[in-house]
Amino acid sequence: MPSSISSLAVVPTLCLIPILALAGPLLFRAVGALLGLYLRKKTDGRLSHILELTEQDEKKWREGRRSSGSSSNSGKDEEWEEVDTYTVGTSGNGGKGEADWDGVVGFFHPFCNAGGGGERVLWAAIRATQQRWPKAKCIVYTGDHDVNKDAILSRVENRFNIHLHPPTVNFLYLTTRHWVLASTWPRFTLAGQSFGSLIVAWDAFSLLVPDIFVDTMGYAFALGLSKFLFPEIPTAAYVHYPTISTDMLESLDPTSTVGSQGVHAGQGTGTRGKAKKLYWKLFAKVYSHVGASADVVMTNSTWTMGHIQKLWGPLRRSNRPIAVVYPPVAVSELEQEVEVSPESEKKREKVLLYIAQFRPEKNHQLILQAFAEFVKTSKSPAAKEAKLVLVGSVRDDHDSKRVYQLRLLVNELHIKARVEFHLDASWPEILEWLRRASVGVNGMWNEHFGIGVVEYQAAGLVSVVHDSGGPKMDIVVDVGGGFTGFHATTPSEFAEGFEKALSLENPLEVRLRARESAKRFTEEEFARRWVREMEPVIGLNKLKVTTEKRRV
């Protein structure tokens, strides 16, 4: 309760930040420095406690390993002997001589136990950090009060098969996470959630001021607050998608090239539409300023990098280029679970598989319309046997209603006998469909990356994806001089893509090429790129007082 009250009490101060900025840079920096000093003094005691606790846990862990001898866990423990597993080069920032860096890295991820692709990035990043800098302390700021450290790490192992070194991972629990929920801001959601992230970030810094601050959820305003309070603390951002993009702004205009795309398509007309456009433009300017404050910026795709470069690039002070660090995908697991060979080819069916949550932006309607056109107009043998399988999770009543509407559309299109819905399918069920299907489908406009499409490729499926975003620019590209799939935009183009994908003369050749393409997105490749980008951040921290000196 006290922490919650403290966070609420700072709301008026956060509201004054824009006014302070207008009052002059000197006053702005002075107020930030004073607030930062207050937070440092407030959290020094907790820092000392965490360091002592880490030292005790490390000692217990080593004693336990010695006493267990050659137990079943020894193989897993040996990971931590390989300090430089993912080291890239020997640059001056973070080279082998700095493997004993023992600072505190704060990972801002209020929903760390969600179990999605964003969380896979978080845990893979922490593992790479631990293996490169084994003495570093990784702190996760989370709002998941219903689970303790052991439960979270157990879920990480079971869900992602990622094994972390427990002594150097700790969790600090936020009391203000509801401020970033969309349900808290039914109006002006973009601005509301961004303001809410300031409150949650203040909550985080009230618990502990780290040596390095890393945002892995896309809360750019948290990065800005960190620089306002602690200009000397290096910051890093991993951006899954821009909170607002130039494509979003353009989609409001029905006459633009993207005016028919996205969930806000063509909404920029009339008085209300013009007001919305103005609001989005103003928000984009503020978002650009706070995001540009990050010292190191990583993005999950070329598409995301392009938009972040447009928004943040012109305002950045750091000379470190914005980098693409593809998110880790369980490519190795899929290679083991799904066979791609002449024998497995005989078991493939004329199944088009679309794995996606039943959310509006996934555009299931487009795929259904395209499939109906394909089976009704194509005279090929493939069309007569083709089946569309929709696999996805249902999060709430809104998703349930959406599935009901999709079932109605299936009836209206007279393709009920050809379409199957599999809701909340288990991982073994999904693997079975990946073995049986021939084609993987993605209908989302401007999918930021497309982990599902990489999984299609790793399983040897020929992809037919929307001609935009990550699937177009990064994933479904030519490899080894040959194609790995097809791009489409309209129902007719998708129907044509289905026809081509199901009528290949040598589908196994394309499947093997797709599987080779997927190797660019392994967990090992992510770790190498992550370390490469974090090395300069560790280098910046050399100028600061080390954690041990701060404790003294």
Side-chain angles (χ1 to χ4, degrees):
M1 181 66 70
S3 178
S4 179
I5 294 174
S6 175
S7 297
L8 289 173
V10 81
V11 170
T13 302
L14 295 176
C15 292
L16 288 173
I17 289 178
I19 299 174
L20 291 171
L22 293 173
L26 290 178
L27 179 60
F28 181 76
R29 287 196 290 267
V31 172
L34 287 173
L35 290 172
L37 181 62
Y38 159 73
L39 290 172
R40 281 190 182 282
K41 291 186 177 296
K42 177 183 177 181
T43 63
D44 270 346
R46 181 174 281 111
L47 171 64
S48 298
H49 175 70
I50 288 176
L51 294 175
E52 291 171 3
L53 186 64
T54 299
E55 190 174 325
Q56 293 171 8
D57 288 348
E58 186 72 49
K59 186 176 180 180
K60 290 178 182 177
W61 179 82
R62 293 189 180 280
E63 289 175 352
R65 190 177 69 162
R66 282 196 295 268
S67 63
S68 64
S70 57
S71 68
S72 59
N73 287 330
S74 61
K76 182 171 68 178
D77 294 339
E78 285 173 2
E79 289 184 42
W80 309 109
E81 298 301 323
E82 299 295 330
V83 173
D84 294 309
T85 300
Y86 297 123
T87 302
V88 179
T90 55
S91 64
N93 295 329
K96 186 169 182 178
E98 295 177 15
D100 60 348
W101 182 79
D102 65 347
V104 175
V105 185
F107 290 86
F108 190 65
H109 205 106
F111 298 87
C112 78
N113 204 41
E119 286 65 57
R120 180 185 284 275
V121 168
L122 168 68
W123 304 123
I126 290 178
R127 179 171 63 179
T129 301
Q130 286 186 323
Q131 291 186 317
R132 178 62 185 84
W133 296 282
K135 293 184 180 180
K137 288 79 178 173
C138 297
I139 304 295
V140 181
Y141 301 104
T142 180
D144 295 300
H145 288 265
D146 56 332
V147 285
N148 60 21
K149 174 178 173 176
D150 290 340
I152 293 175
L153 295 185
S154 176
R155 178 173 167 80
V156 172
E157 290 186 14
N158 295 331
R159 177 71 179 85
F160 302 117
N161 195 29
I162 292 177
H163 300 276
L164 301 176
H165 185 52
T168 55
V169 183
N170 282 287
F171 298 87
L172 294 178
Y173 293 90
L174 306 164
T175 60
T176 55
R177 190 175 70 177
H178 63 280
W179 283 90
V180 295
L181 295 175
S183 57
T184 304
W185 308 95
R187 298 287 183 272
F188 299 100
T189 308
L190 286 179
Q193 287 183 292
S194 296
F195 178 74
S197 70
L198 290 173
I199 297 173
V200 181
W202 176 273
D203 188 4
F205 294 133
S206 296
L207 295 171
L208 181 72
V209 178
D211 294 308
I212 292 171
F213 183 68
V214 182
D215 167 51
T216 48
M217 276 202 74
Y219 293 120
F221 283 72
L223 296 166
L225 181 63
S226 180
K227 280 299 180 187
F228 171 64
L229 298 171
F230 319 105
E232 75 284 3
I233 289 183
T235 56
Y238 187 92
V239 185
H240 297 274
Y241 56 89
T243 303
I244 193 166
S245 68
T246 52
D247 282 353
M248 284 176 62
L249 291 168
E250 290 176 11
S251 72
L252 294 175
D253 184 358
T255 64
S256 72
T257 56
V258 296
S260 61
Q261 304 285 355
V263 294
H264 300 283
Q267 294 183 9
T269 59
T271 303
R272 185 174 181 178
K274 291 178 180 178
K276 184 170 189 172
K277 186 182 292 187
L278 177 62
Y279 157 52
W280 276 14
K281 285 184 176 180
L282 290 173
F283 176 81
K285 288 185 178 180
V286 181
Y287 173 70
S288 299
H289 277 278
V290 293
S293 68
D295 295 300
V296 169
V297 179
M298 293 168 268
T299 62
N300 67 339
S301 70
T302 302
W303 181 89
T304 303
M305 182 193 70
H307 284 277
I308 291 297
Q309 183 62 48
K310 285 182 183 177
L311 293 164
W312 297 6
L315 300 171
R316 293 190 72 214
R317 293 183 179 179
S318 172
N319 57 7
R320 181 81 180 175
I322 296 173
V324 175
V325 178
Y326 295 127
V329 183
V331 173
S332 300
E333 180 181 354
L334 286 165
E335 287 179 338
Q336 293 173 0
E337 295 286 351
V338 182
E339 182 183 356
V340 180
S341 67
E343 291 73 25
S344 66
E345 191 62 32
K346 299 173 185 177
K347 302 175 184 177
R348 296 275 183 183
E349 303 172 23
K350 301 297 184 182
V351 170
L352 301 163
L353 180 64
Y354 190 10
I355 302 176
Q357 288 183 333
F358 290 98
R359 305 202 313 258
E361 61 269 24
K362 295 301 181 181
N363 213 349
H364 288 84
Q365 295 93 328
L366 171 64
I367 301 305
L368 289 172
Q369 291 164 357
F371 182 70
E373 181 175 336
F374 167 57
V375 298
K376 290 175 183 177
T377 61
S378 175
K379 301 187 184 302
S380 68
K384 295 179 181 179
E385 303 174 31
K387 179 192 297 183
L388 175 63
V389 175
L390 304 177
V391 178
S393 59
V394 177
R395 302 166 300 171
D396 49 34
D397 288 342
H398 294 292
D399 286 356
S400 297
K401 291 176 181 176
R402 198 166 294 113
V403 171
Y404 176 72
Q405 292 168 349
L406 291 173
R407 290 186 189 275
L408 291 178
L409 179 59
V410 166
N411 286 328
E412 292 173 9
L413 295 171
H414 305 292
I415 52 175
K416 184 177 180 180
R418 301 287 202 95
V419 178
E420 292 185 20
F421 288 82
H422 293 271
L423 311 182
D424 297 319
S426 66
W427 181 240
E429 289 177 283
I430 292 173
L431 286 174
E432 185 57 31
W433 280 115
L434 289 169
R435 295 185 188 104
R436 292 171 59 183
S438 293
V439 177
V441 181
N442 182 285
M444 180 177 170
W445 172 65
N446 275 346
E447 178 90 72
H448 311 115
F449 176 65
I451 287 178
V453 180
V454 176
E455 291 175 341
Y456 292 156
Q457 289 191 331
L461 274 63
V462 180
S463 300
V464 180
V465 300
H466 200 283
D467 192 27
S468 65
K472 173 188 178 180
M473 302 173 74
D474 293 312
I475 304 173
V476 184
V477 298
D478 289 354
V479 171
F483 64 91
T484 58
F486 304 94
H487 306 126
T489 302
T490 65
S492 296
E493 290 174 355
F494 269 99
E496 184 180 348
F498 299 160
E499 173 81 32
K500 291 178 179 178
L502 289 174
S503 305
L504 294 170
E505 290 186 10
N506 188 354
L508 180 59
E509 180 182 327
V510 182
R511 297 191 199 289
L512 291 172
R513 207 155 46 222
R515 170 162 280 190
E516 186 65 28
S517 172
K519 292 180 180 178
R520 296 175 293 136
F521 311 107
T522 62
E523 294 174 335
E524 292 77 15
E525 183 61 26
F526 167 83
R528 277 189 285 270
R529 294 191 181 206
W530 173 269
V531 168
R532 183 186 65 195
E533 296 303 316
M534 286 298 290
E535 283 180 344
V537 183
I538 303 298
L540 286 172
N541 183 255
K542 289 192 302 180
L543 302 176
K544 287 181 72 275
V545 181
T546 64
T547 299
E548 287 297 322
K549 289 182 179 177
R550 280 175 58 188
R551 185 171 66 169
V552 174

